[in-house]
Amino acid sequence: MIKIYNSLTKKIEDFKPIKENELTMYVCGPTVYNFMHIGNSRPIIFFDVVARFFKYLGYKVTYVSNFTDIDDKIITRAEEEGISEAEVSEKYIKEISETYNRLNIIPHDKNPKVTENMQEIIDYIGILITKGGAYVSDGDVYFDVSKIDNYGVLSSQTIENLIQGARVETNDKKKNPVDFTLWKETLTGLRWKSPWSEGRPGWHTECVVMINNIFKDKIDIHGGGLDLKFPHHDNEIAQSMCSHDHTIANYWMHNGRIDLSGEKMSKSVGNVIWANDLLDKVDYQIYRFMVLNVPYRQPLNYREELLDQAATEYEKIRRSYNNLYRKIELEDIDLGKKDSEIEKLKTEFIEAMSNDFNTANAITSIINLSKLSNTLLRAKELDREKLASCYSLFTDMLWVLGIETNIEPLEEEDKKLVREYEAARRAKNFELSDELRKQIADKGILL
RNA sequence: GGCUCUAUAGCCAAGUGGCUAAGGCAAGGGUCUGCAACACCCUGAUCGCCGGUUCAAAUCCGGCUGGAGCCUCCA
């Protein structure tokens, strides 16, 4: 049984899919006005692992993440660069998609864009008005937060408290300062015709509409960064309560932030590290290890030291996996064998992952497996079944965390070379073995 | 002012009432080894502070202190 911390109920709950053995998941994607920084990459990496784990368990997974391609920031960026909004968003969608690839993210089933859903958004706002949850005010449309019970359930905020917060923007067009924009009349930038004015939609409607369009119904998991909890996700829930009388998703999941020097990393503060810069420096596997070493709900305070630790850790695991792979290959070991000791480690791994995706403990399982593997490889007698079982599990575990080692099978002549090297060593012909070792190393083969 | 989260060894951290407080990195020691590398083993914390509940608390409750976030765009 998978247990998930549900941000909506603030409890760890047993996961019950809407449809047996199927998972529907939506994660809020980036606004495409800039590159992705490492903070942005955390939900992308984490929810990729969530999707992988469900797939590993045999679920049919449908995972959708959007690109927000309409936003004031995109307009500003377009003006700054003297190009159109479409050019800005196209450019960054391309950049960000490329970063997804570099991080070895399994392609999402869909990456909907706001601009492709405009008619649906306008229709949806119409429904909210009809249902009485929204009102038109001088060309703008606002959501009336007083019309639904429990506004702010996710963030545990009451309307009164939000008003007292006093930092909500004052706007004469709103009945209540907490009401949020569904449609805004605009005179500049990209805009669309609607029954209310020429303008563009507010940010909070798009996700609800895309989910409705793609999934047609309530979904299992809605995810995103913690900073989207309020107002974005609370506003999504408010709209969905009004239109469909449900909270969109059964499980709401929020990942913690990535901080820099103990402070939040964000583009508005300017203390960002770009994902691509980090990827230029280290392999994506190390990057993922660093992120997954910290439980997803905790803040991750980025420091180079963490990267170094992850690098050392990954290097050991990779070497161990590599040696196992070579042994399987050189000894022609048949796969598909199962061993009870190895099965125990598999259970341990699955339990860790099932416990609200405890990747930190899952990595511990991998380390335990790699130690076992190293020991088996050194054993006097070759335990073919154990090695085979070990290899299969090792591969699966790494796959769940999105880590592939890219080891290539050896060519026949290379296999021969390695065997000769081993034979020379056994025969204590060190002159020859050193020479062969050098040849092997020169070919880039890791032993 | 309101609402959240958080505090475990030098660092990252597991832990959700009960055997000797996981694991990793770093450090020290050792084993293996033709050499180098690797690998393997061993060594460390009574859990921010105070009080309470309990036969029993790092784990529950209250208070205090420190750190962070949200209430404005943000993954």
Side-chain angles (χ1 to χ4, degrees):
Chain A
M1 181 66 87
I2 297 177
K3 290 179 189 302
I4 294 181
Y5 177 81
N6 190 347
S7 302
L8 189 59
T9 57
K10 292 151 189 76
K11 283 187 191 118
I12 291 188
E13 299 175 354
D14 289 341
F15 176 74
K16 294 194 190 77
I18 293 168
K19 272 195 195 164
E20 188 87 13
N21 282 318
E22 290 189 24
L23 174 77
T24 47
M25 179 163 77
Y26 180 93
V27 174
C28 289
T31 302
V32 288
Y33 69 101
N34 210 332
F35 300 99
M36 185 154 79
H37 63 68
I38 63 173
N40 302 131
S41 74
R42 192 175 187 189
I44 292 301
I45 292 172
F46 172 67
F47 287 104
D48 178 61
V49 171
V50 171
R52 283 169 179 268
F53 183 56
F54 276 102
K55 284 183 182 179
Y56 171 64
L57 295 180
Y59 278 72
K60 177 177 175 282
V61 175
T62 312
Y63 173 16
V64 175
S65 183
N66 68 306
F67 285 125
T68 298
D69 62 350
I70 297 178
D71 186 274
D72 286 353
K73 284 180 179 153
I74 295 173
I75 296 168
T76 311
R77 183 46 73 115
E79 281 168 0
E80 280 169 11
E81 298 192 8
I83 53 178
S84 71
E85 289 97 328
E87 283 170 309
V88 171
S89 53
E90 245 167 63
K91 172 181 169 185
Y92 290 106
I93 285 172
K94 206 167 151 242
E95 289 287 351
I96 291 169
S97 302
E98 178 55 28
T99 308
Y100 285 0
N101 281 337
R102 293 184 75 185
L103 286 167
N104 198 34
I105 303 300
I106 294 178
H108 304 133
D109 295 288
K110 283 206 170 103
N111 290 120
K113 298 174 197 152
V114 186
T115 49
E116 292 168 350
N117 286 272
M118 195 50 65
Q119 192 52 50
E120 288 85 348
I121 289 172
I122 291 168
D123 294 346
Y124 183 77
I125 294 172
I127 291 170
L128 293 177
I129 296 171
T130 311
K131 295 239 179 188
Y135 57 91
V136 183
S137 178
D138 191 23
D140 291 354
V141 184
Y142 295 96
F143 189 88
D144 188 342
V145 297
S146 69
K147 288 291 164 61
I148 60 153
D149 299 330
N150 285 333
Y151 178 73
V153 260
L154 242 195
S155 55
S156 311
Q157 298 270 17
T158 62
I159 294 173
E160 297 74 57
N161 287 341
L162 287 165
I163 293 170
Q164 275 172 14
R167 287 204 285 170
V168 281
E169 90 188 76
T170 49
N171 180 338
D172 291 342
K173 292 183 181 179
K174 292 184 184 176
K175 288 188 195 166
N176 184 324
V178 186
D179 289 348
F180 57 90
T181 307
L182 299 176
W183 187 266
K184 184 158 68 174
E185 180 172 25
T186 48
L187 304 171
T188 57
L190 262 186
R191 64 213 128 120
W192 285 259
K193 286 204 170 98
S194 81
W196 317 290
S197 64
E198 224 173 276
R200 58 177 186 271
W203 172 43
H204 308 300
T205 308
E206 58 182 81
C207 293
V208 186
V209 170
M210 289 168 180
I211 291 170
N212 285 339
N213 283 353
I214 293 168
F215 295 103
K216 310 295 177 201
D217 208 343
K218 207 174 183 188
I219 58 173
D220 292 305
I221 294 175
H222 190 312
L226 191 66
D227 44 0
L228 292 183
K229 229 173 168 179
F230 190 89
H232 186 52
H233 289 164
D234 256 320
N235 289 352
E236 280 188 45
I237 291 174
Q239 293 170 89
S240 182
M241 287 305 288
C242 175
S243 62
H244 293 81
D245 207 31
H246 67 58
T247 55
I248 303 175
N250 285 331
Y251 304 88
W252 285 78
M253 296 178 69
H254 293 94
N255 64 274
R257 280 166 295 116
I258 292 189
D259 295 340
L260 194 59
S261 321
E263 273 188 359
K264 175 178 172 172
M265 178 181 300
S266 80
K267 282 178 264 202
S268 38
V269 178
N271 59 339
V272 300
I273 292 176
W274 303 108
N276 284 336
D277 288 347
L278 213 57
L279 284 165
D280 288 342
K281 223 164 86 176
V282 300
D283 292 339
Y284 81 84
Q285 293 94 334
I286 293 170
Y287 189 142
R288 291 183 77 118
F289 247 91
M290 181 188 73
V291 170
L292 299 172
N293 251 330
V294 177
Y296 78 94
R297 287 192 278 139
Q298 303 296 337
L300 190 164
N301 195 6
Y302 175 82
R303 288 178 306 137
E304 292 237 356
E305 201 182 352
L306 291 188
L307 206 58
D308 293 344
Q309 287 184 7
T312 311
E313 204 171 334
Y314 173 65
E315 198 45 48
K316 283 186 165 190
I317 287 171
R318 189 184 68 107
R319 200 154 39 219
S320 172
Y321 182 78
N322 175 79
N323 292 343
L324 181 58
Y325 182 102
R326 291 290 174 240
K327 182 64 98 182
I328 299 279
E329 190 176 34
L330 291 162
E331 299 287 344
D332 293 318
I333 292 175
D334 289 334
L335 299 176
K337 294 278 167 50
K338 283 192 178 161
D339 173 88
S340 61
E341 189 183 356
I342 309 286
E343 287 295 301
K344 237 173 86 182
L345 283 172
K346 178 176 175 175
T347 308
E348 189 183 291
F349 176 79
I350 291 175
E351 277 176 3
M353 288 301 293
S354 300
N355 184 15
D356 196 28
F357 310 99
N358 193 331
T359 50
N361 281 345
I363 289 174
T364 296
S365 291
I366 294 182
I367 286 168
N368 289 339
L369 184 69
S370 101
K371 280 193 176 173
L372 178 63
S373 172
N374 289 336
T375 306
L376 288 173
L377 289 172
R378 298 240 170 166
K380 292 238 161 53
E381 295 208 3
L382 204 62
D383 190 334
R384 305 178 79 92
E385 295 204 351
K386 237 178 202 165
L387 284 169
S389 176
C390 200
Y391 173 75
S392 307
L393 180 59
F394 212 149
T395 308
D396 287 350
M397 282 176 168
L398 291 176
W399 183 84
V400 170
L401 298 191
I403 286 164
E404 280 153 58
T405 52
N406 308 323
I407 303 172
E408 297 292 333
L410 293 177
E411 304 285 337
E412 275 311 312
E413 58 176 293
D414 292 334
K415 276 191 189 175
K416 204 173 144 228
L417 192 62
V418 173
R419 286 186 180 122
E420 278 170 16
Y421 159 71
E422 285 173 346
R425 276 196 61 196
R426 251 180 274 122
K428 298 200 191 296
N429 184 350
F430 299 124
E431 212 171 300
L432 177 62
S433 75
D434 284 352
E435 169 57 27
L436 292 171
R437 181 166 65 187
K438 190 172 174 303
Q439 282 183 32
I440 291 165
D442 287 348
K443 288 188 167 211
I445 298 165
L446 185 71
L447 282 182

